[in-house]
């Protein structure tokens, strides 16, 4: 199993792991202080593509958490890297929030083309029936179809809100197609993007998160994983799952003593 102190890069999930809505979870700030005191690199890694990087930096700053752009990686960021690596057309149908649209537009993508060459599905909290119809029509027409991440629920204070996974399922029911690629956790592409950014090997990384089928399943790529019970997963769900975390903790605060 190894020791938590051997980890060279911590990837921290956000919703349900580090905070809920706008409130840091107990010990979250202390955990960052402990990493910094030991000069251990970390980065926030979230599948939530409803906000761009700058929005997350502002949200963290409002909690007195100040990090650099290098220390923030979203599934939206990783999707842009994927599109560039695979030489996708700049003409896209993007189903996403205004924040995600701005991020893609800043990267040079044309989002209002009459004849898009590919479709990207993000976590769109502004989803309308018109958007859903355009999405299904584009997928049905056979355009390359990319989703930023697979999550079914996004944890918020008081419960959950539907995430992109439900939309992927709906689109499959209507069109018969699943995404050609899903970029975010638990897929290897996002782990390799983080490893490359910090110059570390996958086995020296620890993904800290609350979700079995994304955060902990990322361990199949070769990274270590730490499951916390402050979000979606419970000990009962973990016991019944096929995923195996390297470590389990009640919350991020319990990890401090193991550093």
């Amino acid at each position: 199993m190894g020791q938590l102190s051997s980890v060279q890069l911590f990837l921290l999930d956000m919703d349900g792991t580090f905070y809920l809505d706008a409130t840091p979870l107990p010990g979250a700030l202390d955990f960052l202080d402990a990493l910094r005191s030991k000069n251990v690199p970390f980065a926030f890694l979230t599948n939530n593509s409803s906000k761009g990087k700058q929005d997350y930096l502002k949200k963290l700053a409002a909690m007195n958490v100040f990090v650099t752009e290098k220390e923030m990686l979203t599934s939206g960021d990783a999707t842009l890297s994927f599109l560039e690596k695979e030489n996708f057309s700049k003409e896209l149908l993007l189903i996403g929030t205004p924040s995600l649209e701005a991020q893609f537009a800043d990267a040079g993508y044309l989002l209002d083309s009459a004849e898009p060459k590919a479709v990207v599905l993000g976590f769109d909290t502004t989803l309308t029936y018109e958007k859903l119809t355009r999405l299904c029509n584009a997928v049905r027409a056979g355009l390359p179809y990319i989703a930023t991440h697979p999550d079914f629920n996004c944890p918020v204070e008081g419960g959950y809100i539907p995430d992109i996974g439900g939309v992927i399922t709906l689109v499959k029911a209507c069109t018969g197609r699943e995404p050609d690629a899903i970029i975010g956790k638990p897929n290897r592409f996002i782990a390799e993007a983080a490893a490359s950014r910090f110059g570390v090997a996958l086995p020296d990384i620890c993904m800290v998160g609350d979700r079995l089928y994304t955060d902990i399943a990322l361990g199949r790529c070769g990274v270590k994983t730490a499951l916390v019970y402050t979000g979606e997963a419970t000990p009962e769900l973990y016991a019944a799952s096929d995923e195996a975390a390297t470590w389990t903790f009640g919350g991020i605060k319990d990890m401090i003593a193991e550093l």
Side-chain angles (χ1 to χ4, degrees):
M1 179 180 294
Q3 300 296 319
L4 205 62
S5 58
S6 67
V7 173
Q8 296 181 24
L9 172 65
F10 283 91
L11 300 178
L12 309 176
D13 179 55
M14 302 179 79
D15 301 305
T17 297
F18 191 83
Y19 60 61
L20 284 178
D21 284 346
T23 304
L25 285 161
L29 301 183
D30 294 332
F31 182 73
L32 290 191
D33 288 341
L35 292 181
R36 286 169 169 153
S37 70
K38 297 177 181 298
N39 294 315
V40 179
F42 68 87
F44 288 101
L45 179 64
T46 179
N47 268 2
N48 190 335
S49 61
S50 67
K51 299 179 179 65
K53 178 180 295 187
Q54 294 302 322
D55 294 298
Y56 279 114
L57 293 177
K58 290 177 183 177
K59 181 171 184 175
L60 288 168
M63 303 178 205
N64 291 318
V65 179
F66 301 98
V67 297
T68 65
E69 289 194 8
K70 180 180 179 181
E71 294 168 332
M72 183 72 246
L73 178 64
T74 73
S75 64
D77 296 327
T79 299
L80 285 170
S81 297
F82 175 83
L83 296 178
E84 181 178 0
K85 180 180 179 182
E86 298 297 321
N87 296 312
F88 268 66
S89 168
K90 291 293 185 179
E91 297 181 72
L92 293 179
L93 170 61
L94 174 66
I95 304 300
T97 59
S99 177
L100 189 65
E101 290 175 343
Q103 184 177 1
F104 272 66
D106 288 344
Y109 285 88
L110 178 64
L111 306 179
D112 56 359
S113 172
E115 296 184 3
K117 304 299 189 296
V119 56
V120 173
L121 173 61
F123 176 22
D124 190 0
T125 56
T126 63
L127 186 65
T128 63
Y129 199 81
E130 178 183 1
K131 285 185 176 183
L132 188 57
T133 300
R134 291 183 67 199
L135 170 62
C136 287
N137 286 342
V139 172
R140 194 177 294 111
L143 292 183
Y145 170 30
I146 308 301
T148 59
H149 62 288
D151 303 46
F152 282 96
N153 294 292
C154 178
V156 296
E157 288 187 8
Y160 301 91
I161 58 175
D163 208 320
I164 188 175
V167 180
I168 291 173
T169 300
L170 186 153
V171 171
K172 182 182 179 182
C174 293
T175 69
R177 285 185 64 194
E178 293 184 342
D180 300 312
I182 301 176
I183 306 303
K185 301 171 290 185
N187 299 288
R188 188 181 188 90
F189 185 85
I190 198 168
E192 290 179 339
S196 176
R197 179 177 291 191
F198 286 88
V200 300
L202 290 178
D204 296 322
I205 295 174
C206 177
M207 178 70 227
V208 184
D210 67 295
R211 191 162 294 172
L212 293 168
Y213 64 91
T214 55
D215 299 316
I216 305 309
L218 194 66
R220 298 181 183 184
C221 299
V223 304
K224 297 179 175 65
T225 57
L227 175 65
V228 293
Y229 294 125
T230 47
E232 183 174 292
T234 63
E236 293 76 21
L237 286 174
Y238 178 51
S241 78
D242 294 328
E243 303 299 339
T246 312
W247 300 282
T248 60
F249 297 94
I252 198 169
K253 63 181 176 62
D254 301 315
M255 298 177 63
I256 298 172
E258 302 299 321
L259 292 174

